[in-house]
Amino acid sequence: MAEENDNQQPESSPKGNIIPINIEDEMRGAYIDYSMSVIISRALPDVRDGFKPVHRRVLYGMSELGVYHNRPYKKSARIVGEVLGKYHPHGDSSVYDTMVRMAQEWSLRYPLVDGQGNFGSVDGDSPAAMRYTEARLKRIAEEMLADINKDTVDYQSNFDDSLKEPSVLPARIPNLLLNGTSGIAVGMATNMAPHNLSEVVAGIKAYIDNEQIEIEELMQYVKAPDFPTGGIIYGYSGVKSAFETGRGRIVMRSATNFETTKTGRERIIVNEIPYMVNKASMIEKTAALINEKKIEGISDIRDESDRHGLRIVYELKRDAVPNVVLNNLFKYTQLQSSFSINNVALVKGRPMTLNLKDMISHYVSHRIEVITRRTEYELKEAEKRAHILEGLLIALDHLDEVIALIRASKDPDEAKAGLMERFELSEIQAKAILDMRLQRLTGLERDKIISEYEEIKKLIERLKEILASEEIKKDLIKQDLDDINTKYGDERRSQIEMAGGDFNIEDMIPDDEMLVTVSHQGYIKRTPLVEYRTQNRGGVGSRGVKTKDEDYTEHLFTATNHNYLLFFTEKGRLYWLRVFELPEGTKTSKGRAIQNLINIESDDNIRAVLNVNNLSEEDYINNNYIVMCTKQGTVKKTLLEAYSRPRVNGIIAITINDGDQLLDVSLTNGNNYIIIGASGGKAVRFHESDVRAMGRGAAGVRGIRLEDGDEAIGMVCASREDAQLMVVSENGYGKRSDIEQYRITSRGAKGVKALNITEKTGKLVSIKEVTDEDDLMIITVRGIAIRMSISDLRIMGRATQGVKLIRLNDKDGIASVTRIVKEEEDIEDSESQENDDETPKSED
């Protein structure tokens, strides 16, 4: 009995109301509900207007307050209170922070809020409290709300069902693409980049014209993201990936330039920084890296930014190489940063990853729906007005009878019923007649009613045409976009720099032939060959290069814009550049310091430059060789393949022994004859096969045996059957001789006489391989240039003294000699050529 009583539960026990469930199922269901709430109602934007709920509520709340762009500002606290109390029941900071960001020019490409007061800074400074600042809508933000009162979008109840708020905005501007967004939901995130309005408009119009357009074609219009802080988009592969897949990583660099102070010191100037980078924090971290010796060469950092623009100055030490320092800044600081694009947005309430075409197509679909609903609303209103006007016209046609009927009625209801019965009017028409003022009975007012009715009928026909035609709706979208572009379109701020392998930029650059000059003090430039005119032998020459005091042209050669230049230094290092990457100048300009283009060491100098057509074709780089010669007569041969992988900081091309330096470099096919000249007037000729191919870091073998006091002055790899050897002495004498006159010897021999050296001629300074089709360009130490046709020089014996090539002034000498292959337009009839100076006959 006791056991039975123990099992009985008291009547007040709640056991009958408890439903046992699995806690895992409950937590799973609750978490999914929470995550969906975050995804839909907080963190992700709607693909149609590009807004999260809080942004939409702020703009809608401001429009309901009437703070338009042409109205006075209102306190931010007043706006925040309006939005909090009516639509967004969360913390006031969430609303205020959202409004502040929409007012910051460095946060949004096209700001939507016009703020007055302290709204923060690019240095990360906090905005003033909402009680101190004021705000109103920007004019462009009002385009987001245009036609919202014409039943264009659906409304939903607010948090307490007391009011209605729009579930999406009409979005006359494609805000999602223009301003982008970022947000972290549960299990997913979004990070969308801003774009240029003019480009986006062009892309949307192209899509409307051809909905089958490919993304690659759209990218001709929408070229890349366009960030509010400008900067440089470095590399295009990330942009291409983002446009095609919705995901991509964009590398951004600061916009920089070099300046030279009055004292001759270099400085790096930063005018634009990557998007979302805190300027003050970046400078502080850079200073810390300098103190830790991770970045060297910087003596001072100054922030000279003001209301006119951003300017950060990096003062460099005297021995610092600007290009090297800048690359280290890119490597270790936020002067270079990345922006990871992840285009996730809500499409019909579901999160989706979108490519460029997806975002455009969803926006166009939304605008078609908005225009359809707006047209239906306007048609409904027009038909209502037409209906009323028809009633008024009936009344005016029977005016006396209407007045008599009204006067005979005891009250308005009886009059309304009488009108409806007598003239077969609707209740709305009868009421309008009763509400009509007596002044409408005049003849002029009657004409106005008739005119209005005719206009309304035309409007109704037009609205019905719009509803019946998708093409007309699309034309209206394009008209809206053109209007938006006219009002708010601007130039792109972020530059696009195609990085290695991303884009064949040479396709956009004509492959013109250039004359490249490198001065003794390291200034380089490229000049179109057409700037130089052909002169007769013995001419005084024209001024070819304007150099600094005590500077002169040391290297001179021809190349086309698309070629690769391999720079070999006297220490045996190799650097790469494309010809079109060189600064272009006139024949009298100085050029730019080569240290600003390549990361050459401050105590090193360019000794030879090789012009190579291609570094990616396997057959080419594995069947061609680079042959090098040093001043001590050492020669080395290595496959071009060993030098086909460019590196920013260069590589070792040849190991240079103490007291030696690299002299000359040639590209060969493995079957040429090598000729090495010495300053004493001798030259050795041997077959290339006498030099075995070596590794990149090898020192080489002996090429010529030099006499005391002599040094090697040049190397020729004879490749053309009809070629001769051109030799030039330091006092301006030279001649050309058949290469066959130089007998073949073994590698390492003393060689044979190349020029009869006398006090009059001076030592040998240059040897070149030439033909009748070539020109010769000679530059003196003082920068005087003369270009002459090789065909004007007769072929002479190997051991002769030669002829006078250029008339030299006192203390002048030959600095550089190069062979130029003539183009058709360069070949002129010497008889009809006009010279600036009379030139004497050259002596034989």
Side-chain angles (χ1 to χ4, degrees):
M1 190 71 175
E3 184 177 344
E4 185 177 345
N5 289 335
D6 290 341
N7 289 334
Q8 290 180 348
Q9 296 293 329
E11 291 182 5
S12 61
S13 172
K15 182 177 180 181
N17 297 327
I18 295 176
I19 303 172
I21 59 171
N22 189 319
I23 191 170
E24 292 181 3
D25 296 336
E26 177 64 18
M27 291 186 67
R28 183 181 296 110
Y31 193 73
I32 288 175
D33 291 343
Y34 163 72
S35 63
M36 289 306 296
S37 173
V38 171
I39 290 168
I40 295 172
S41 303
R42 190 186 307 175
L44 298 184
D46 192 295
V47 71
R48 296 170 290 178
D49 62 2
F51 280 145
K52 302 175 189 177
V54 64
H55 298 90
R56 194 177 298 118
R57 288 164 177 168
V58 168
L59 291 191
Y60 183 66
M62 292 178 75
S63 72
E64 289 294 288
L65 267 179
V67 283
Y68 297 110
H69 77 279
N70 53 358
R71 304 278 182 84
Y73 293 90
K74 268 192 168 54
K75 280 288 185 185
S76 298
R78 173 74 177 85
I79 297 169
V80 171
E82 175 82 4
V83 176
L84 280 183
K86 290 184 175 180
Y87 310 113
H88 198 71
H90 300 281
D92 57 3
S93 62
S94 65
V95 176
Y96 186 51
D97 290 348
T98 297
M99 191 178 75
V100 164
R101 187 173 184 276
M102 288 196 291
Q104 293 174 338
E105 293 184 352
W106 59 91
S107 293
L108 262 64
R109 181 63 178 82
Y110 298 92
L112 301 171
V113 172
D114 182 7
Q116 183 169 266
N118 175 14
F119 275 76
S121 74
V122 73
D123 288 326
D125 299 321
S126 299
M130 68 179 79
R131 61 182 178 273
Y132 298 119
T133 61
E134 297 178 337
R136 63 184 178 188
L137 287 172
K138 284 264 192 183
R139 187 180 178 190
I140 193 172
E142 294 173 18
E143 306 288 355
M144 293 294 299
L145 297 152
D147 302 323
I148 196 168
N149 296 321
K150 293 185 177 180
D151 193 28
T152 51
V153 293
D154 292 331
Y155 279 74
Q156 61 191 19
S157 297
N158 70 339
F159 59 90
D160 62 357
D161 293 339
S162 61
L163 295 167
K164 294 289 185 180
E165 62 173 315
S167 59
V168 68
L169 298 184
R172 195 163 175 247
I173 62 171
N175 179 67
L176 185 64
L177 278 164
L178 297 190
N179 282 323
T181 189
S182 62
I184 300 174
V186 177
M188 64 185 67
T190 184
N191 202 33
M192 308 179 80
H195 295 81
N196 181 271
L197 188 148
S198 298
E199 292 182 4
V200 171
V201 166
I204 295 174
K205 289 172 65 179
Y207 170 81
I208 291 173
D209 291 335
N210 175 23
E211 293 189 0
Q212 306 304 316
I213 191 171
E214 298 292 333
I215 293 177
E216 190 171 344
E217 296 175 77
L218 280 174
M219 288 166 61
Q220 296 175 8
Y221 303 97
V222 187
K223 296 178 175 60
D226 189 24
F227 298 103
T229 54
I232 296 169
I233 296 173
Y234 187 69
Y236 203 69
S237 58
V239 175
K240 193 170 186 292
S241 173
F243 281 162
E244 291 178 345
T245 68
R247 295 174 181 269
R249 179 176 172 271
I250 295 178
V251 177
M252 298 180 298
R253 281 187 168 185
S254 302
T256 62
N257 62 282
F258 300 114
E259 285 185 2
T260 304
T261 64
K262 293 180 180 178
T263 59
R265 296 179 68 172
E266 298 277 354
R267 57 170 59 155
I268 297 172
I269 309 298
V270 176
N271 303 113
E272 297 171 0
I273 59 175
Y275 185 48
M276 302 300 289
V277 168
N278 184 312
K279 173 164 64 71
S281 175
M282 179 188 73
I283 294 173
E284 184 180 342
K285 290 177 181 176
T286 303
L289 290 171
I290 294 170
N291 292 333
E292 295 168 6
K293 305 295 185 184
K294 288 186 178 179
I295 298 178
E296 296 184 347
I298 298 176
S299 60
D300 186 28
I301 306 177
R302 294 193 308 278
D303 184 0
E304 298 180 357
S305 305
D306 56 23
R307 68 179 60 188
H308 301 295
L310 184 144
R311 178 180 167 92
I312 307 170
V313 180
Y314 295 82
E315 294 282 357
L316 304 186
K317 297 178 181 177
R318 290 195 178 275
D319 59 345
V321 179
N323 208 49
V324 174
V325 175
L326 181 59
N327 278 314
N328 283 329
L329 287 171
F330 284 146
K331 182 177 180 181
Y332 294 111
T333 75
Q334 286 184 300
L335 279 187
Q336 176 174 308
S337 63
S338 62
F339 186 91
S340 296
I341 292 179
N342 187 22
N343 294 334
V344 178
L346 295 175
V347 180
K348 297 180 180 178
R350 301 186 61 176
M352 293 181 64
T353 302
L354 308 167
N355 59 33
L356 176 62
K357 186 177 178 181
D358 292 335
M359 290 188 284
I360 290 176
S361 66
H362 286 302
Y363 172 75
V364 171
S365 298
H366 175 57
R367 286 301 297 168
I368 287 176
E369 182 183 353
V370 167
I371 287 173
T372 301
R373 294 181 61 165
R374 181 186 70 191
T375 306
E376 289 173 345
Y377 174 86
E378 291 175 346
L379 177 61
K380 191 187 305 179
E381 294 298 312
E383 288 175 338
K384 284 182 183 177
R385 181 60 181 165
H387 184 62
I388 290 173
L389 291 173
E390 287 170 355
L392 295 179
L393 289 172
I394 290 172
L396 292 173
D397 289 339
H398 305 84
L399 186 58
D400 294 337
E401 189 176 352
V402 167
I403 292 173
L405 190 153
I406 294 173
R407 291 183 64 182
S409 302
K410 66 177 181 180
D411 58 32
D413 290 339
E414 184 181 331
K416 182 168 64 174
L419 288 171
M420 292 170 62
E421 182 180 351
R422 171 67 185 83
F423 300 106
E424 299 181 352
L425 301 175
S426 68
E427 185 176 351
I428 295 174
Q429 289 173 321
K431 187 175 184 303
I433 292 171
L434 291 173
D435 291 340
M436 185 169 59
R437 299 172 64 183
L438 289 176
Q439 70 177 30
R440 303 297 297 273
L441 302 178
T442 63
L444 187 61
E445 288 296 318
R446 175 187 172 86
D447 291 341
K448 284 184 180 180
I449 292 173
I450 294 172
S451 175
E452 183 183 356
Y453 181 63
E454 294 298 325
E455 292 297 324
I456 286 286
K457 285 202 298 183
K458 291 179 183 177
L459 176 61
I460 291 171
E461 288 177 10
R462 172 61 179 165
L463 294 175
K464 287 181 177 177
E465 286 178 6
I466 294 173
L467 289 174
S469 171
E470 290 294 310
E471 292 304 315
I472 295 179
K473 294 176 187 176
K474 291 177 179 178
D475 286 339
L476 289 174
I477 295 175
K478 291 198 288 186
Q479 290 173 21
D480 284 345
L481 291 171
D482 286 335
D483 180 47
I484 292 294
N485 192 29
T486 301
K487 289 180 182 177
Y488 313 108
D490 56 5
E491 295 294 324
R492 161 175 283 279
R493 294 182 188 175
S494 297
Q495 304 172 43
I496 305 170
E497 186 172 312
M498 307 302 181
D502 286 334
F503 186 77
N504 293 327
I505 193 170
E506 61 266 21
D507 293 342
M508 303 173 65
I509 298 173
D511 198 18
D512 296 334
E513 193 164 4
M514 296 285 168
L515 187 73
V516 179
T517 56
V518 185
S519 76
H520 178 68
Q521 294 188 357
Y523 287 88
I524 189 170
K525 67 173 180 178
R526 61 187 170 102
T527 308
L529 266 184
V530 293
E531 282 205 17
Y532 291 87
R533 57 185 172 83
T534 304
Q535 290 181 309
N536 286 331
R537 174 169 62 84
V540 175
S542 62
R543 176 157 295 276
V545 185
K546 185 178 180 182
T547 59
K548 296 181 5 179
D549 294 342
E550 301 179 358
D551 195 11
Y552 59 88
T553 299
E554 192 167 89
H555 302 283
L556 184 78
F557 54 90
T558 58
T560 64
N561 270 329
H562 292 187
N563 288 5
Y564 287 84
L565 297 183
L566 277 58
F567 291 82
F568 295 84
T569 72
E570 63 183 21
K571 288 187 174 183
R573 291 192 69 81
L574 168 63
Y575 302 87
W576 294 261
L577 268 183
R578 303 296 292 273
V579 173
F580 60 73
E581 293 175 326
L582 302 178
E584 183 172 348
T586 64
K587 64 180 181 178
T588 58
S589 63
K590 181 179 68 174
R592 186 176 176 186
I594 201 167
Q595 287 89 347
N596 293 339
L597 302 174
I598 59 177
N599 295 336
I600 186 174
E601 296 177 4
S602 57
D603 60 343
D604 204 356
N605 294 303
I606 300 296
R607 296 301 303 169
V609 184
L610 192 62
N611 180 21
V612 177
N613 294 332
N614 199 309
L615 287 179
S616 58
E617 188 178 335
E618 292 292 327
D619 289 343
Y620 181 75
I621 62 177
N622 286 306
N623 289 289
N624 285 279
Y625 298 88
I626 286 181
V627 176
M628 287 170 274
C629 174
T630 72
K631 277 198 172 182
Q632 292 183 355
T634 300
V635 66
K636 174 192 168 186
K637 182 172 77 172
T638 305
L639 266 178
L640 177 59
E641 191 276 336
Y643 305 104
S644 63
R645 291 171 288 278
R647 296 182 191 171
V648 173
N649 294 320
I651 61 172
I652 295 173
I654 181 175
T655 298
I656 300 295
N657 297 322
D658 292 339
D660 198 5
Q661 65 182 39
L662 187 62
L663 175 67
D664 214 342
V665 181
S666 289
L667 182 68
T668 74
N669 59 12
N671 195 33
N672 296 335
Y673 285 95
I674 298 172
I675 304 172
I676 301 176
S679 59
K682 289 189 174 182
V684 63
R685 178 185 176 210
F686 56 89
H687 197 272
E688 186 181 339
S689 59
D690 289 355
V691 185
R692 62 179 177 82
M694 307 173 195
R696 182 165 57 82
V701 293
R702 178 181 290 175
I704 185 172
R705 188 179 297 276
L706 299 171
E707 297 180 359
D708 291 342
D710 276 0
E711 61 181 24
I713 52 88
M715 175 185 70
V716 167
C717 290
S719 59
R720 296 184 291 179
E721 293 181 359
D722 60 341
Q724 299 87 39
L725 193 69
M726 182 78 201
V727 295
V728 181
S729 72
E730 62 183 349
N731 290 339
Y733 284 83
K735 65 179 175 64
R736 62 169 174 156
S737 308
D738 286 327
I739 291 178
E740 294 303 321
Q741 292 190 19
Y742 295 82
R743 61 182 174 83
I744 299 173
T745 64
S746 60
R747 175 183 58 81
K750 288 185 177 181
V752 297
K753 184 176 288 188
L755 185 74
N756 188 22
I757 297 297
T758 65
E759 186 176 343
K760 183 179 179 182
T761 63
K763 290 190 173 184
L764 201 62
V765 295
S766 173
I767 63 171
K768 299 291 177 185
E769 180 189 26
V770 296
T771 69
D772 283 343
E773 299 303 316
D774 296 338
D775 278 1
L776 199 67
M777 180 71 78
I778 301 175
I779 301 285
T780 73
V781 171
R782 292 188 175 182
I784 302 299
I786 184 170
R787 177 173 174 175
M788 64 185 68
S789 296
I790 294 295
S791 58
D792 289 346
L793 301 172
R794 65 181 179 85
I795 299 175
M796 307 174 68
R798 174 173 55 81
T800 58
Q801 177 179 281
V803 296
K804 190 81 168 178
L805 299 178
I806 184 171
R807 200 169 59 216
L808 298 175
N809 297 323
D810 293 340
K811 297 181 181 179
D812 203 356
I814 303 298
S816 179
V817 181
T818 191
R819 173 179 63 86
I820 300 175
V821 180
K822 281 197 290 189
E823 294 181 352
E824 248 180 70
E825 61 268 25
D826 293 329
I827 301 172
E828 300 177 5
D829 188 350
S830 60
E831 291 182 4
S832 63
Q833 183 182 357
E834 294 181 5
N835 291 321
D836 292 335
D837 305 288
E838 291 185 6
T839 57
K841 294 288 185 181
S842 61
E843 52 187 279
D844 236 351

